[in-house]
Amino acid sequence: MDPVVIPILVAAIVVVFLVASTVRVVPQARRYNIERFGRYRRTLQPGLNFVLPVADRVNTKLDVREQVYSSDPKPVITEDNLVVNIDTVLYYHITDPRAAAYEVADYLQAIDQLTVTTLRNVIGSMDLEGTLTSREEINTRLRTVLDDATGKWGIRVNRVEIKAIDPPNTIKEAMEKQMRAERDKRAAILHAEGERQAKILTAEGTKQKDILEAQGTQQAMILRADGEAKAVERVFQAVHRNNADPKVLAYKYLETLPHLAQSDNNTFWVIPGELTEAVRTVSGAFSDRSAMGLRTPPPSEEPTVAGSDRASGGSGSPEPKAESTLSLDAAAAIDEAAKQAAAAVNDAKAEAEAARTPTVPSRGQPSGD
């Protein structure tokens, strides 16, 4: 090989190395911190950048996108002396690459320890119930403290979320029992409320039913009474218009007596006191009719009869007078009317007694029919 070629090749290799050391290509969302002879010089932006070979070097490469950091469970003591384990999730991004590289040695560890101390300060002023129900308040206070502390590190904390709060097992069991008791209580209350509403609705329905039935009965009774009143009024007007005498009214009165005992529920009957007056009126009517049918003897015959009676010396039987005949007919009419009324009442009593206590024919004996 020609001795001149070797130096040329070496020089070419050196030139390529120097050119390669001079050019720096930075990807998007990345930042490179450049040091010149060990001192921070500048931060390279995304794209093509040129540096001095040998003098400049890349110290740190940082990602400025939003990062997620999940810490391990940390034990924290509450105000009521209960130890709970809390997991947190941190969302942050780098705003100043130079400060993130030179202001703090390990910003992730620093953020983790700051989160633990802040959690202990916040949770220490709350009881377990407040810790479990105040996650939003805890997140806000954590974010405020971390944002103030990490600002000088070139880091911005966007969100801090509590991932889990784990109380001791005994507390979990007690909480489960309490929750079960609360649910049973709510279920019993809802069941009782449902029964109460059902009873109220049933009572309202029964009330409306009774009211409607009472109103219907009232209307029916009013209509029935109006009909009976109109019927009585028409009968009364017909009687007065036809000028019925007391004899016809007394006869209708006696005719109505058998209907008093037609009801199945009657166990005793009251015979009105006007019965004798009605019987007397009917009997008077019959006696008047009998008197109208008798013939009165002529005046000329009466002395003859009397003379013959005296001539015979009282041996002949005297003829019955009209008054005695009228009295006999009236008595017979009264007896007949009384018998008919008594028979009607007795028949009604027998029918009511038979309807209330039916007789069962004995074995081997024929029935009454």
Side-chain angles (χ1 to χ4, degrees):
M1 180 179 288
D2 190 358
V4 180
V5 176
I6 294 176
I8 294 174
L9 291 175
V10 172
I13 293 173
V14 171
V15 170
V16 171
F17 176 75
L18 291 176
V19 171
S21 300
T22 302
V23 177
R24 290 288 186 269
V25 178
V26 180
Q28 184 66 33
R30 299 290 193 277
R31 301 293 186 271
Y32 292 172
N33 290 325
I34 301 298
E35 293 180 351
R36 181 171 293 176
F37 299 112
R39 185 176 180 179
Y40 172 77
R41 178 66 180 173
R42 61 192 179 97
T43 300
L44 300 181
Q45 300 299 321
L48 182 62
N49 297 274
F50 296 96
V51 297
L52 294 177
V54 181
D56 294 340
R57 69 182 184 89
V58 177
N59 182 24
T60 53
K61 297 179 180 181
L62 299 176
D63 190 346
V64 297
R65 294 175 297 179
E66 187 173 8
Q67 305 292 322
V68 180
Y69 175 72
S70 178
S71 63
D72 296 332
K74 301 295 190 298
V76 181
I77 300 176
T78 61
E79 186 180 11
D80 47 357
N81 296 326
L82 293 176
V83 179
V84 294
N85 294 323
I86 300 179
D87 297 347
T88 58
V89 179
L90 184 67
Y91 297 86
Y92 70 94
H93 72 277
I94 298 174
T95 58
D96 188 358
R98 185 195 65 80
Y102 296 104
E103 295 294 336
V104 62
D106 189 351
Y107 59 85
L108 287 179
Q109 184 180 2
I111 291 174
D112 187 23
Q113 295 301 320
L114 183 60
T115 302
V116 173
T117 55
T118 306
L119 272 177
R120 287 175 178 172
N121 291 332
V122 174
I123 302 300
S125 60
M126 297 182 179
D127 56 1
L128 180 61
E129 191 72 21
T131 302
L132 296 175
T133 57
S134 303
R135 291 195 176 191
E136 189 66 28
E137 180 182 357
I138 296 172
N139 294 338
T140 303
R141 295 176 65 177
L142 277 175
R143 181 182 177 281
T144 302
V145 173
L146 291 175
D147 197 16
D148 293 340
T150 57
K152 62 181 180 180
W153 299 340
I155 297 173
R156 177 176 176 78
V157 177
N158 297 324
R159 296 181 63 185
V160 179
E161 296 291 340
I162 295 178
K163 185 168 62 176
I165 299 177
D166 296 328
N169 294 329
T170 56
I171 302 300
K172 288 182 179 179
E173 294 176 359
M175 291 172 63
E176 291 177 357
K177 292 180 180 179
Q178 181 181 3
M179 182 174 59
R180 192 180 301 112
E182 289 291 335
R183 289 182 177 177
D184 293 340
K185 175 184 176 182
R186 288 196 297 268
I189 291 174
L190 292 176
H191 182 69
E193 189 69 23
E195 290 184 352
R196 174 174 172 271
Q197 292 294 332
K199 290 181 179 179
I200 290 174
L201 293 177
T202 303
E204 289 291 336
T206 305
K207 177 183 176 182
Q208 294 295 329
K209 176 185 175 183
D210 295 340
I211 291 174
L212 293 177
E213 289 181 353
Q215 290 177 353
T217 304
Q218 179 186 9
Q219 294 295 329
M221 293 177 67
I222 291 174
L223 294 176
R224 192 179 298 112
D226 291 341
E228 293 178 356
K230 290 181 180 179
V232 171
E233 183 179 0
R234 289 187 178 181
V235 171
F236 184 77
Q237 291 177 357
V239 169
H240 281 275
R241 185 168 53 252
N242 296 325
N243 195 16
D245 56 355
K247 300 173 185 179
V248 177
L249 298 178
Y251 178 76
K252 296 298 292 182
Y253 184 83
L254 291 175
E255 191 180 15
T256 310
L257 286 177
H259 297 284
L260 296 175
Q262 287 184 357
S263 178
D264 297 335
N265 297 327
N266 290 338
T267 57
F268 68 94
W269 299 266
V270 178
I271 304 301
E274 292 84 357
L275 178 61
T276 56
E277 185 68 23
V279 172
R280 188 179 297 111
T281 303
V282 174
S283 63
F286 283 113
S287 63
D288 292 342
R289 188 176 299 172
S290 299
M292 291 174 63
L294 292 176
R295 295 179 61 184
T296 58
S300 61
E301 295 179 358
E302 185 176 356
T304 306
V305 173
S308 62
D309 289 341
R310 285 193 299 268
S312 61
S315 59
S317 60
E319 292 182 2
K321 296 181 180 180
E323 293 180 358
S324 61
T325 303
L326 293 176
S327 62
L328 290 175
D329 292 338
I334 293 172
D335 292 339
E336 185 65 24
K339 288 180 181 180
Q340 290 180 0
V345 173
N346 291 330
D347 292 340
K349 289 183 179 181
E351 290 178 1
E353 188 67 26
R356 191 178 62 166
T357 57
T359 57
V360 179
S362 61
R363 184 177 301 175
Q365 295 181 357
S367 61
D369 297 334

